[in-house]
Amino acid sequence: MGLKRRTGTKNPPIFSSEFLIQNHADIVSCIAMLFVIGLLFQVSAPLASVFVVMHHNVTEALDPSVPVLYEGGRQDVCVVTFYFLIAIVMHAILQEYALDKLNRKLHLSKMKHSKFNESGQLLVFYLISLLWGGDIILRDGYLLNISKLWQDYPHNEMTFMFKFYFIVQFAYWLHCYPELYFQKVKKDEMKPRIIYTTLYLAFLSAAYVLNFSRIAICLSVLHYLVESVFHTARLLYFAEKNKAATYGFTVWNVVFVVARLASITLSVLTFWYGLAQGEKEAVDWAQGNFNTKVVRVNCVVGVCLLQAWMMWNFINFHLRRMRERAAAAASSRKKALAKKEKKAASRKDEQLKQKSEDEVNELPEVDQNTKKAGGGELRSRVGAAASPKAKRF
């Protein structure tokens, strides 16, 4: 697969950083293709299948009507590595064939260009995850029967699509780190991206390892819904669809607050009340049962602190916007007042000048000439008195 690249008249050296950035999608796609080709040969198939095929199945595919169940394991790291490469390739394809074309049409500035690319990439991932996770929630009946979130714990058995959902999540958020280098992200924009990428990985990994995958997929879908609305509104804003963007941000303001409250409620209900019914005194590593009071309390505190942190940033964002709008309004009022005063002063000068001319015109013709001549003579005397020669004599 070859991706189009906009290069200059001279190609960069092969081992240079610029060459790697321009051709990283082709390089990564070739590496991923080696794993796929390895499945075709008997010698390399066992090694290649470790990276491509899902492992740690609990049941066998004997009956097509019965789904194969999987659990987590060490070989998941290899599968995440392969799909990590696929995520980089898909990122480059979306950037080259969709976002770059839209950027050229919109003529965005460098700052808006970077934010537009970020929102475009995240929106596609959020929508896919939202539809995918929502389908799993509806199929497994978590929406209509919320008690399934804590019943039959530990939830270490998953269907193929359920486990594959988490594999893709890990692969995508891991690929965000090298993309900071491939996309030449500025240093001031790196910090927030690294923070939210690390938070995603930390919470999803903890839920996957501790077998709290059911509550994790519900919370992730709820959060992805909010983020989808936000990035849609931001893309509309960059496209100068201001009316639609205003509606989008208004919807985001409402959905954000509701999602934070719903996430806290769902977490407290699951960890504090639901799982407390089957609480264990110690962790059972063999069965993967982490339903102890210490683990549950830490999970509740972690989720609540994360929601509080996001809500704090949300409030600070709107307070900052209010201060900026107030400052802009005060500046505009000040400029309008200064302009009004200047206009009033010029109008007053014109009125005084017109009044003086009217007074002169009302005098007889001889007096008019005398007044004009007297005014000219007076001005000449004042000028002579101010000259240096007049001071010497």
Side-chain angles (χ1 to χ4, degrees), residues 55-68:
H55 297 282
H56 303 291
N57 55 305
V58 181
T59 59
E60 299 291 339
L62 300 177
D63 187 358
S65 61
V66 179
V68 181

Side-chain angles (χ1 to χ4, degrees), residues 139-323:
R139 285 177 181 272
D140 293 347
Y142 302 149
L143 186 62
L144 299 178
N145 188 5
I146 198 172
S147 62
K148 286 187 175 182
L149 295 179
W150 58 80
Q151 285 179 354
D152 302 327
Y153 181 84
H155 307 143
N156 48 8
E157 295 183 358
M158 300 169 282
T159 60
F160 176 82
M161 295 304 294
F162 197 106
K163 181 174 181 178
F164 192 44
Y165 175 86
F166 280 93
I167 296 296
V168 172
Q169 297 292 315
F170 298 143
Y172 181 85
W173 293 115
L174 281 173
H175 107 284
C176 291
Y177 291 114
E179 285 298 337
L180 297 174
Y181 170 72
F182 294 144
Q183 298 297 323
K184 297 181 179 180
V185 178
K186 296 180 179 179
K187 291 183 178 180
D188 56 342
E189 296 179 3
M190 280 188 179
K191 185 178 179 180
R193 296 193 187 189
I194 292 175
I195 289 175
Y196 70 68
T197 300
T198 305
L199 287 173
Y200 277 119
L201 281 173
F203 278 84
L204 289 171
S205 301
Y208 189 75
V209 172
L210 299 176
N211 293 323
F212 296 134
S213 54
R214 294 184 182 181
I215 180 65
I217 196 171
C218 293
L219 293 178
S220 64
V221 168
L222 191 61
H223 179 71
Y224 290 160
L225 173 63
V226 179
E227 293 299 307
S228 298
V229 175
F230 171 74
H231 289 287
T232 301
R234 192 156 80 156
L235 289 176
L236 291 173
Y237 170 75
F238 291 142
E240 296 182 353
K241 306 292 183 180
N242 296 328
K243 189 174 182 180
T246 302
Y247 289 142
F249 284 120
T250 303
V251 173
W252 173 68
N253 292 334
V254 177
V255 175
F256 185 92
V257 177
V258 173
R260 302 286 75 81
L261 296 176
S263 298
I264 294 175
T265 304
L266 196 61
S267 300
V268 172
L269 185 63
T270 301
F271 290 108
W272 193 257
Y273 294 102
L275 291 173
Q277 300 173 9
E279 181 180 320
K280 300 292 182 181
E281 294 182 359
V283 175
D284 189 348
W285 297 95
Q287 295 184 357
N289 194 328
F290 298 90
N291 188 12
T292 63
K293 188 173 183 179
V294 175
V295 174
R296 290 188 296 104
V297 169
N298 285 325
C299 290
V300 171
V301 171
V303 173
C304 292
L305 286 178
L306 178 62
Q307 304 304 317
W309 178 73
M310 287 190 289
M311 196 67 195
W312 175 259
N313 290 335
F314 177 79
I315 294 173
N316 284 335
F317 168 76
H318 282 285
L319 290 177
R320 184 170 62 253
R321 290 289 302 274
M322 290 175 61
R323 288 194 294 267

Side-chain angles (χ1 to χ4, degrees), residues 103-115:
N103 274 315
R104 287 193 289 271
K105 289 182 180 180
L106 296 176
H107 304 288
L108 300 175
S109 62
K110 290 184 178 180
M111 181 177 295
K112 289 184 177 181
H113 177 86
S114 177
K115 292 183 179 180

Side-chain angles (χ1 to χ4, degrees), residues 5-200:
R5 295 173 298 278
R6 298 184 299 276
T7 58
T9 56
K10 294 183 180 180
N11 293 325
I14 295 178
F15 297 103
S16 64
S17 175
E18 189 65 28
F19 179 85
L20 178 61
I21 292 174
Q22 291 182 5
N23 301 275
H24 74 274
D26 293 335
I27 297 171
V28 172
S29 61
C30 290
I31 297 173
M33 192 64 66
L34 292 177
F35 293 106
V36 178
I37 295 175
L39 295 173
L40 303 177
F41 301 97
Q42 187 176 1
V43 177
S44 58
L47 178 61
S49 63
V50 175
F51 291 88
V52 180
V53 182
M54 202 73 65
H55 297 282
H56 303 291
N57 55 305
V58 181
T59 59
E60 299 291 339
L62 300 177
D63 187 358
S65 61
V66 179
V68 181
L69 298 179
Y70 297 84
E71 63 181 3
R74 296 179 180 178
Q75 291 183 342
D76 292 342
V77 177
C78 299
V79 182
V80 170
T81 302
F82 175 75
Y83 287 100
F84 162 79
L85 301 176
I86 299 300
I88 294 177
V89 177
M90 297 305 297
H91 186 112
I93 292 174
L94 178 62
Q95 184 68 41
E96 182 68 33
Y97 293 100
L99 298 179
D100 285 348
K101 291 183 179 180
L102 291 174
N103 274 315
R104 287 193 289 271
K105 289 182 180 180
L106 296 176
H107 304 288
L108 300 175
S109 62
K110 290 184 178 180
M111 181 177 295
K112 289 184 177 181
H113 177 86
S114 177
K115 292 183 179 180
F116 182 87
N117 290 336
E118 180 189 10
S119 292
Q121 295 284 351
L122 289 174
L123 178 61
V124 173
F125 173 74
Y126 286 145
L127 289 177
I128 294 174
S129 300
L130 178 62
L131 296 176
W132 190 354
D135 180 69
I136 294 173
I137 292 173
L138 292 176
R139 285 177 181 272
D140 293 347
Y142 302 149
L143 186 62
L144 299 178
N145 188 5
I146 198 172
S147 62
K148 286 187 175 182
L149 295 179
W150 58 80
Q151 285 179 354
D152 302 327
Y153 181 84
H155 307 143
N156 48 8
E157 295 183 358
M158 300 169 282
T159 60
F160 176 82
M161 295 304 294
F162 197 106
K163 181 174 181 178
F164 192 44
Y165 175 86
F166 280 93
I167 296 296
V168 172
Q169 297 292 315
F170 298 143
Y172 181 85
W173 293 115
L174 281 173
H175 107 284
C176 291
Y177 291 114
E179 285 298 337
L180 297 174
Y181 170 72
F182 294 144
Q183 298 297 323
K184 297 181 179 180
V185 178
K186 296 180 179 179
K187 291 183 178 180
D188 56 342
E189 296 179 3
M190 280 188 179
K191 185 178 179 180
R193 296 193 187 189
I194 292 175
I195 289 175
Y196 70 68
T197 300
T198 305
L199 287 173
Y200 277 119

